[in-house]
Amino acid sequence: MAITQEIFEAFLKCRTKAHLIGHGVAVTESAIDSPLKELNDTYRHRSSDELRAAVADGQLYIGTPSVEAIKRRLYVLIADCSLSTQSLKAELHGLRLVRGTGRADGNDYIPFRFLYNEKISNPDRLLVAFDAFVFSQAVGIEPSHGEFIHGREQRTAKVLLTPLYSKVRAALTAIAAQEAQSAPPPVVLNKHCPECQYALHCGAIAKNADDLSLLSKMSEKEREKHHRKGIFTVAQLSHTFRHRKRSGEAHHDHALKALAIRKNQVHVLGKVAWSYSGTPVYIDVEGDADRDFYYCIGLRFEVAGSIVQRSYWADDPSDEERVWVECLVGLNAIDEPRLIHYGSYETSFLRQMKKRYPKPGPEIALDGLLESTVNLLAVVYAQVYFPTYSNGLKDIARHLGFRWSHPAASGLAALSWRRQWEASREPELKERLLSYNQEDCAAAQTVAEALSALSRSLPVGATDFVDATALKREYPKRFGKIDFALPEFQQINDAAQWDYQREKVYLRSSKHLRRRQETFPTRVVARIDRRVQVEEERPACCANCGGTEIKRWGWLKRVTYDLKISRTGIRRWVVRHRFPRYVCSKCNVTFHKFSLPRRKYGVALRAYVLYQTIEMQLSQRAVGKSLQQMFSIPASGNLINRLKASAALRYEDTYKALLKKIVGGTLVHADETRTNLILKQGYVWVFTNHEEVAFAFSESREGSTPQDVLQEFRGVLVSDFYTGYDSITCSQQKCLVHLMRDINEDLCKQPFNEEIRDISRKFAALLRLIVESVDRFGLKTRHLRKHRPAVDRFFREILGRVYQTEVATGYQKRFAKNRDRLFTFLDHDGVPWNNNNAEHAIKAFARLRNIFGGTSTVKGMREYLILLSISETCKNKGVRFLDFLLSEESDVDQFAARMRRSRRQS
């Protein structure tokens, strides 16, 4: 199948549309697309005729000349040219011979297209790039640019094609891959659907499948996220709704929207915020976005109990100001007008009118009028969920019973009618537009009255309205204890528990389960790998009284548990020593001569337990279970906890040595995070340099902990902007990444705040140059000091300006307060401009916190932190934590040096 221009254009808008066109699926022409297509064709023919008339005889060719004629450049203009290759086909509007394109003789052809619109979109640019690409494949000449003849004034716009060719190739590859598939692409509704001839075809498929793309506000990214969770339909999504109290900005809940659709009920989330004073005036505006032109303003209000409807019409853009002034004069005659509209289009219109015509008249209070507008969609968006697939005015008003006189009434249809009217000036089209505008105002009033009723209270006994905050889950809620109203229900529920049924019921009715229960070991007994019988001479005297009459008094046993760890695996090693016991005839004291092993659990077993708990971040219960099931060593969570505690006690001096080395160095990174303990909360602090890491615990976030730890530190402290670090007497470098993220967050919240945008630009420009120097030369002072003049200039500009907004003033104060702490790294070798070292270390604790969160004591927390400090230090020094534990050494530096020597020798 050859990829035609129509298929390529359709693919840019919708993959399904491209597939349907490629396979010849025929449907009825769109009521919107057909008139617009006729206008575009008329514009193309008229413009083409005018262009042809300007070309001399013999220099114009209509149709497709031979490739040889094109290469010889015999014609100045080639119109309505059709080019094709084995897999591509394009209908070019024309080719024009231009000079100065860089070829040997200075002449070459460029493709051009006629476009009715004033604005050129990205798909338009890709279409002319497609023409050029097919031309290059068919002729062997690749144009460097193309042209558009567009707009009512037939302006010429040049388009650079070189960067577009890669996008064309990518699209063609995707089309070919799609057609190579045996199954058609899934139907996904998008913004192009209302103007597409396949809208009814795809809409029926999507509704039959209950596809998530029916929800018009759901983005492709959100839809894919639900697909990964196994949610593909609106009904499935509706079952995921859970009411949660949220703070901050209101947001649209797709799950609640889906629930409203499934139940066919209006769901109200919280109390509807609806209140205003004055006379409600419902406003609706019609415009042509392509020309930035508003041609009709409709007002609807009530006077003395009667509805008044007014429409202000503009024949062309020159009438826009007159229409706006007439509208304002009409509003000025209303007592306390309060503009009520649906959607952001009217909001944009009001802003544009104020900007274009700031002084409509001295008697009109424009600012107060615009600031008091009410957007109905802002109320509906996050609070009122109608059982409609979109929050468009047409869908919601129709649900409330409102009907438009024209069945195809929509914003796109209105644009089509307007363009047809401009071409024909038919009175019937103008009347249709005025009627459509007036009905939109009436529809907005219908929605406003419904919201007003909901703001007072939900209708008593009404089944069409649901308070979403009072909804309970329809299906099994969660694990946990259930409170039964009757004690009999509790007894029945106890009898249905899994352990009860397995041990009391199923065993009596199933011999197979009974045999399995009998053979399954209930207690782990370790098999002895080695038995040692100790043979020794009888002691000469009693150690207690010195008596010499010693008798043998039976035998004693001692079992030690350990593991043997090699490069290829781990095996259990359980040894039982059997040795004689003696009794003194004089004092009757029993004793033994044999020297028992120092520990019941060997070094390798202890190392394995600590490695699993700290490095692999397994719970103590899971580690104990693995010892039981994998090695048949009896172990419990309590045993693992005891081994952890004894190891922490053994390595406490190692931990203190790490902390001392950190404090004695020239650089410290510090950070902190919160953690939950049994019945309380606490804070974990991390202090690190490039190698050593030490964690500390405190029960509060007060600055006393870092002050106590760093009281003898005299280097540079890198930290975030927590004030607890400010009182430490040493040079400090604040994390510039934290500052950048804070500025970016405020800029995203206030995108139109020019003051914070100016601060952002200046800070970003300064920091970008510094980071480039760091990437090139490293953290060397001799290369970074050159930025000091730029830093001083930045502070002069920021601190010397008077800001009006609160957020900009806040950052000005922040820069002033931390002026000596933001760029300290410029004057010190090896000091970074961010706190990534500490953040990386704190993440290790955060991962461990997920394992024991809320189940540890203060003592247990400190034990974890000692071992985690050693583990992270080993990692930074390039040695394995498990190897260090197996070595039984206490100095990490000495162990790391020995391992490096060993590697060099090998």
Side-chain angles (χ1 to χ4, degrees), residues 771-780 782-784 786:
V771 171
E772 287 177 355
S773 295
V774 171
D775 288 343
R776 184 177 179 186
F777 302 109
L779 297 169
K780 298 295 181 64
R782 66 176 182 272
H783 296 293
L784 297 179
K786 66 181 181 181

Side-chain angles (χ1 to χ4, degrees), residues 75-93:
Y75 307 104
V76 173
L77 180 68
I78 302 174
D80 300 331
C81 176
S82 179
L83 295 173
S84 63
T85 66
Q86 187 176 0
S87 59
L88 300 173
K89 184 178 181 181
E91 301 290 338
L92 279 69
H93 291 189

Side-chain angles (χ1 to χ4, degrees), residues 793-821:
R793 184 167 58 253
F794 169 77
F795 280 117
R796 284 197 303 272
E797 293 175 356
I798 298 298
L799 303 183
R801 182 175 171 181
V802 178
Y803 292 101
Q804 302 298 323
T805 60
E806 182 180 354
V807 63
T809 304
Y811 278 106
Q812 186 181 46
K813 294 178 180 178
R814 187 171 178 180
F815 279 117
K817 176 183 177 182
N818 296 287
R819 180 170 185 171
D820 297 332
R821 302 188 184 104

Side-chain angles (χ1 to χ4, degrees), residues 643-898:
L643 295 179
K644 172 182 71 77
S646 64
L649 182 62
R650 180 176 183 275
Y651 288 112
E652 187 171 4
D653 290 339
T654 305
Y655 167 78
K656 291 179 180 179
L658 294 177
L659 196 57
K660 184 177 180 180
K661 189 172 182 180
I662 292 172
V663 174
T666 59
L667 174 68
V668 169
H669 292 264
D671 201 1
E672 79 286 337
T673 186
R674 189 173 64 180
T675 186
N676 293 325
L677 305 175
I678 297 177
L679 301 178
K680 63 169 63 177
Q681 289 182 339
Y683 286 85
V684 171
W685 306 75
V686 62
F687 305 96
T688 179
N689 48 35
H690 295 304
E691 289 192 345
E692 285 78 22
V693 180
F695 293 90
F697 173 81
S698 66
E699 296 187 2
S700 70
R701 202 189 178 199
E702 295 178 358
S704 56
T705 299
Q707 291 172 15
D708 292 343
V709 173
L710 302 175
Q711 60 182 346
E712 297 180 1
F713 178 65
R714 294 298 177 263
V716 179
L717 171 64
V718 183
S719 68
D720 56 22
F721 288 85
Y722 173 51
T723 56
Y725 300 110
D726 293 346
S727 58
I728 299 175
T729 56
C730 66
S731 299
Q732 295 195 27
Q733 169 63 51
K734 294 301 180 181
C735 179
L736 298 186
V737 173
H738 277 78
L739 179 58
M740 181 186 68
R741 290 171 183 167
D742 292 343
I743 295 175
N744 180 70
E745 182 178 355
D746 286 322
L747 182 60
C748 292
K749 290 179 181 178
Q750 301 183 24
F752 301 108
N753 188 329
E754 291 301 325
E755 291 183 340
I756 187 61
R757 184 172 291 276
D758 179 66
I759 292 175
S760 303
R761 288 197 186 106
K762 291 178 178 177
F763 182 69
L766 173 64
L767 192 56
R768 180 178 61 84
L769 294 176
I770 296 176
V771 171
E772 287 177 355
S773 295
V774 171
D775 288 343
R776 184 177 179 186
F777 302 109
L779 297 169
K780 298 295 181 64
T781 302
R782 66 176 182 272
H783 296 293
L784 297 179
R785 279 178 180 165
K786 66 181 181 181
H787 295 287
R788 265 297 170 193
V791 171
D792 296 336
R793 184 167 58 253
F794 169 77
F795 280 117
R796 284 197 303 272
E797 293 175 356
I798 298 298
L799 303 183
R801 182 175 171 181
V802 178
Y803 292 101
Q804 302 298 323
T805 60
E806 182 180 354
V807 63
T809 304
Y811 278 106
Q812 186 181 46
K813 294 178 180 178
R814 187 171 178 180
F815 279 117
K817 176 183 177 182
N818 296 287
R819 180 170 185 171
D820 297 332
R821 302 188 184 104
L822 292 180
F823 296 95
T824 308
F825 69 99
L826 298 179
D827 303 318
H828 296 269
D829 284 334
V831 175
W833 52 278
N834 55 66
N835 200 25
N836 285 349
N837 284 347
E839 291 184 358
H840 177 76
I842 210 72
K843 286 178 183 177
F845 169 74
R847 292 190 293 268
L848 193 61
R849 178 178 56 191
N850 294 334
I851 304 301
F852 61 76
T855 62
S856 182
T857 62
V858 173
K859 176 178 175 294
M861 177 62 66
R862 290 198 167 101
E863 293 167 354
Y864 270 118
L865 296 182
I866 289 174
L867 297 172
L868 183 61
S869 300
I870 298 172
S871 172
E872 290 300 303
T873 301
C874 289
K875 191 183 302 181
N876 290 347
K877 290 182 179 293
V879 296
R880 291 184 293 188
F881 181 53
L882 179 61
D883 291 341
F884 176 74
L885 296 173
L886 291 172
S887 71
E888 294 192 89
E889 294 190 22
S890 58
D891 192 310
V892 180
D893 284 330
Q894 291 182 4
F895 175 73
R898 184 168 63 82

